[in-house]
Amino acid sequence: MPQSKISTEKLNLYYGAKHALKDITIRIRSNMVTALIGPSGCGKSTFLKSLNRMNELTDGARTEGKVYLDGEDIYGSGMDVTRLRKRVGMVFQQPNPFPMTIYDNIAYGPKVHGVRNKEKLDGIVERSLRQAAIWEEVENQLNRTAMGLSGGQKQRLCIARALAVEPEVLLMDEPTSALDPVSTLKVEELIGQLKGKYTIVIVTHNMQQAARVSDDTAFFLMGEMVEFDTTARLFVHPADRRTQEYITGKFG
Amino acid sequence: MFSLCAFTAVAAVFSITLYMIANGVPAIWQVGWKEILFSSVWQPVARDASFGILYVILTSVVGTFLAVLLGVPIGLFTAVFLAEAAPAWLAAVIRPAVELLAGIPSVIYGVLGMMILNPWMYCLEQMLFADSLTHQFTGGANLLSAVIVLAVMILPTVISISEAALRAVPPELKASSLALGASSVETIFRVTIPAARSGILTAVVLGVGRAVGEAMAISLVSGNSVNLPLPFCSVRFLTTAIVSEMGYAGGLHRQVLFTIGLVLFVFIMVINGILSGILKGERQG
């Protein structure tokens, strides 16, 4: 069994007085896809953001407990947020390329981290776009604005942008909920291709999607992690009655 | 009834345009457009009168440019601070102050500039030109004073429009940049400001428009004699040229003042053209 890439211990998160995450303890396996499911407001996106400290951008957010990346506490004093976010990339719900050229979108991250060499940047741009399975579609328009792409292309561009800084973990916050079915399928295929190389954590509303793309699934409800198991087992033999009710569509 | 009211503005613009052309053009025929635009000698009441407004045009161009050069960075940084960094209580102090600044009548700016800025400028002038034999002392009423007053006057426009543009940048865009490991300063300069650029450009253009058209305040602080626009020279702008002479001018002199008005009018039209170009590009982009 692969070792865990990220683990949390009694992670609690508060937004002001609101207790948004309660005692989350989880071990996310390396180079696997872990899906986080649950109804709206259950804390799954909040949990995702706590893994690269994006939760800190929300006013009044306070975190207790531990989050380990390769055994290192990411909330520890020795952890540099810039380095952390280079290692733990993120893709958002809305496809949101920067209003610049396709090339500059991809080159943005590497430039932030100090890559100046043009040839090296060219290489990174091509590699990232290939990895995100969008290279063939855009190779002749790298210097055009990314705003002209379709929604699905934009989202794969955003994935490429995240890959360009060579992360180890990729966090995806409902990456297909704004996409049409064909684009969704492409992104799901892409997740399948990427998982050997990256540890992927994906938040999704769509249980079929979780079943299709993930190896492990965690079910969140009202800030608690109700159940965490391999996807195969959780969807077929859920241990908790609430999990069963959710995946069979009784609520949510 | 409503359409009649709505038509008032259109009628006003239309009749002003017609009036400016009708009154500004005859002098161009009489004096010659080259003589007016490219001669630097302004002696409208001399026996052998000369109506060159080159220096006046240059003063408006240079003065506006410098005011924008000074005012836009200050305004933009204020907007960035308000939109991105300022704690709520501080923003609650700054924002009304900015709005108030917009509401102060321009003559007040002029009076304050005259009472406070000009004496400082005079001190500076006395230090800088202590040994100069050729410098004409202005008592501090010079281009630099006018530029500073104009820069302050365009601040509210630049700040409020830039801030609105910066606030309209989707938060996810900033989050994406931060999630790539960029610092908040890198994010502001490389993502947020570029994403808001058309709004910021609009702010700049409107600031230019305000600076070009301002008359009252600068007529009090700029010294009002026709000179090359050098920092410590007393200068006359297109607007102040009209303000200071319209009262007594007659005949051809008066007509040339209308021509100056026409030049100013063309400036404003060009600025409006640029603005609508930007807004159009925005919709398409």
Side-chain angles (χ1 to χ4, degrees), chain B residues 43-269:
Chain B
Q43 284 173 338
V45 289
R47 184 184 301 270
D48 188 15
S50 176
F51 298 102
I53 60 167
L54 180 64
Y55 283 173
V56 182
I57 293 176
L58 282 180
T59 299
S60 267
V61 172
V62 172
T64 301
F65 178 75
L66 291 178
V68 167
L69 207 64
L70 184 65
V72 166
I74 297 174
L76 182 57
F77 284 143
T78 309
V80 167
F81 181 67
L82 286 175
E84 301 286 327
W89 65 268
L90 195 54
V93 174
I94 296 174
R95 209 168 285 123
V98 170
E99 280 160 16
L100 213 59
L101 202 60
I104 294 173
S106 64
V107 65
I108 305 290
Y109 283 93
V111 170
L112 288 181
M114 200 167 74
M115 303 306 290
I116 299 168
L117 203 54
N118 285 358
W120 288 353
M121 280 296 159
Y122 192 40
C123 291
L124 200 60
E125 193 181 16
Q126 282 172 320
M127 272 156 51
L128 286 172
F129 295 95
D131 303 324
S132 169
L133 297 173
T134 52
H135 182 73
Q136 271 195 326
F137 281 89
T138 62
N142 55 27
L143 178 67
L144 218 49
S145 298
V147 164
I148 292 170
V149 169
L150 280 179
V152 175
M153 291 185 75
I154 64 171
L155 277 182
T157 312
V158 175
I159 292 171
S160 55
I161 296 175
S162 309
E163 193 200 344
L166 290 167
R167 284 194 184 281
V169 174
E172 308 87 51
L173 214 55
K174 297 175 222 167
S176 292
S177 171
L178 295 169
L180 284 166
S183 70
S184 55
V185 173
E186 283 169 326
T187 301
I188 286 168
F189 281 103
R190 297 173 65 173
V191 174
T192 314
I193 291 181
R197 65 178 171 250
S198 68
I200 293 169
L201 268 178
T202 304
V204 173
V205 173
L206 287 175
V208 170
R210 178 136 164 78
V212 167
E214 174 49 37
M216 201 59 234
I218 51 177
S219 78
L220 291 173
V221 299
S222 66
N224 246 336
S225 56
V226 180
N227 271 315
L228 252 187
L230 295 173
F232 287 94
C233 282
S234 171
V235 291
R236 185 178 293 183
F237 291 75
L238 286 168
T239 47
T240 55
I242 302 174
V243 168
S244 55
E245 290 178 14
M246 194 53 102
Y248 64 84
L252 187 57
H253 181 196
R254 189 180 172 87
Q255 286 186 318
V256 173
L257 291 184
F258 275 104
T259 309
I260 293 178
L262 195 59
V263 172
L264 191 61
F265 195 69
V266 169
F267 269 50
I268 298 290
M269 283 301 168

Side-chain angles (χ1 to χ4, degrees), chain A residues 112-187:
Chain A
V112 161
H113 294 287
V115 180
R116 288 280 173 272
N117 183 312
K118 171 84 171 115
E119 270 172 38
K120 205 169 168 193
L121 284 173
D122 288 349
I124 291 172
V125 169
E126 179 171 348
R127 174 183 57 75
S128 309
L129 289 169
R130 279 190 193 284
Q131 277 191 322
I134 190 181
W135 172 253
E136 277 80 16
E137 292 160 63
V138 300
E139 63 176 317
N140 294 320
Q141 45 174 318
L142 293 179
N143 288 319
R144 279 206 226 143
T145 171
M147 308 313 276
L149 297 173
S150 74
Q153 288 176 323
K154 280 182 185 166
Q155 192 61 305
R156 278 178 287 144
L157 182 78
C158 290
I159 294 172
R161 179 175 70 188
L163 296 178
V165 297
E166 299 181 33
E168 299 156 33
V169 180
L170 201 53
L171 308 176
M172 305 179 112
D173 192 358
E174 302 195 31
T176 64
S177 66
L179 303 184
D180 61 87
V182 176
S183 302
T184 299
L185 190 67
K186 279 193 179 157
V187 170

Side-chain angles (χ1 to χ4, degrees), chain A residues 169-206:
Chain A
V169 180
L170 201 53
L171 308 176
M172 305 179 112
D173 192 358
E174 302 195 31
T176 64
S177 66
L179 303 184
D180 61 87
V182 176
S183 302
T184 299
L185 190 67
K186 279 193 179 157
V187 170
E188 286 183 7
E189 280 172 10
L190 179 58
I191 292 170
Q193 290 159 22
L194 292 174
K195 77 170 180 183
K197 195 153 178 258
Y198 304 92
T199 302
I200 297 175
V201 186
I202 178 172
V203 165
T204 177
H205 249 95
N206 179 332

Side-chain angles (χ1 to χ4, degrees), chain A:
Chain A
M1 172 166 161
Q3 66 189 62
S4 68
K5 183 74 184 172
I6 295 180
S7 58
T8 69
E9 252 169 51
K10 293 210 175 284
L11 179 68
N12 282 277
L13 192 138
Y14 305 85
Y15 288 132
K18 187 174 179 261
H19 196 171
L21 288 177
K22 297 168 189 165
D23 283 338
I24 310 291
T25 298
I26 192 172
R27 295 167 67 82
I28 292 168
R29 292 192 289 164
S30 194
N31 296 349
M32 293 280 174
V33 178
T34 301
L36 310 177
I37 62 169
S40 302
C42 67
K44 55 193 193 299
S45 285
T46 300
F47 176 72
L48 194 75
K49 285 186 213 155
S50 70
L51 302 182
N52 66 346
R53 291 176 59 173
M54 289 295 280
N55 53 334
E56 291 176 353
L57 301 178
T58 311
D59 282 337
R62 188 163 53 85
T63 314
E64 285 170 7
K66 304 278 187 202
V67 178
Y68 296 104
L69 174 64
D70 286 335
E72 195 181 354
D73 182 7
I74 69 166
Y75 287 90
S77 55
M79 180 57 73
D80 172 21
V81 181
T82 298
R83 291 283 309 155
L84 170 69
R85 290 181 185 157
K86 183 181 180 302
R87 294 174 65 189
V88 184
M90 192 163 200
V91 175
F92 296 80
Q93 181 172 1
Q94 286 295 330
N96 55 357
F98 299 135
M100 2 170 143
T101 64
I102 292 170
Y103 184 98
D104 287 339
N105 261 279
I106 309 298
Y108 180 83
K111 279 183 183 166
V112 161
H113 294 287
V115 180
R116 288 280 173 272
N117 183 312
K118 171 84 171 115
E119 270 172 38
K120 205 169 168 193
L121 284 173
D122 288 349
I124 291 172
V125 169
E126 179 171 348
R127 174 183 57 75
S128 309
L129 289 169
R130 279 190 193 284
Q131 277 191 322
I134 190 181
W135 172 253
E136 277 80 16
E137 292 160 63
V138 300
E139 63 176 317
N140 294 320
Q141 45 174 318
L142 293 179
N143 288 319
R144 279 206 226 143
T145 171
M147 308 313 276
L149 297 173
S150 74
Q153 288 176 323
K154 280 182 185 166
Q155 192 61 305
R156 278 178 287 144
L157 182 78
C158 290
I159 294 172
R161 179 175 70 188
L163 296 178
V165 297
E166 299 181 33
E168 299 156 33
V169 180
L170 201 53
L171 308 176
M172 305 179 112
D173 192 358
E174 302 195 31
T176 64
S177 66
L179 303 184
D180 61 87
V182 176
S183 302
T184 299
L185 190 67
K186 279 193 179 157
V187 170
E188 286 183 7
E189 280 172 10
L190 179 58
I191 292 170
Q193 290 159 22
L194 292 174
K195 77 170 180 183
K197 195 153 178 258
Y198 304 92
T199 302
I200 297 175
V201 186
I202 178 172
V203 165
T204 177
H205 249 95
N206 179 332
M207 277 174 285
Q208 284 74 29
Q209 182 170 67
R212 280 193 299 265
V213 302
S214 70
D215 301 290
D216 295 337
T217 298
F219 172 56
F220 281 72
L221 189 63
M222 293 165 74
E224 284 177 65
M225 189 172 77
V226 173
E227 190 164 351
F228 176 53
D229 209 331
T230 62
T231 302
R233 210 165 329 151
L234 186 129
F235 275 96
V236 181
H237 301 295
D240 192 288
R241 198 170 52 82
R242 289 169 295 176
T243 312
Q244 192 194 347
E245 286 178 357
Y246 182 72
I247 61 177
T248 54
K250 290 227 171 71
F251 71 97

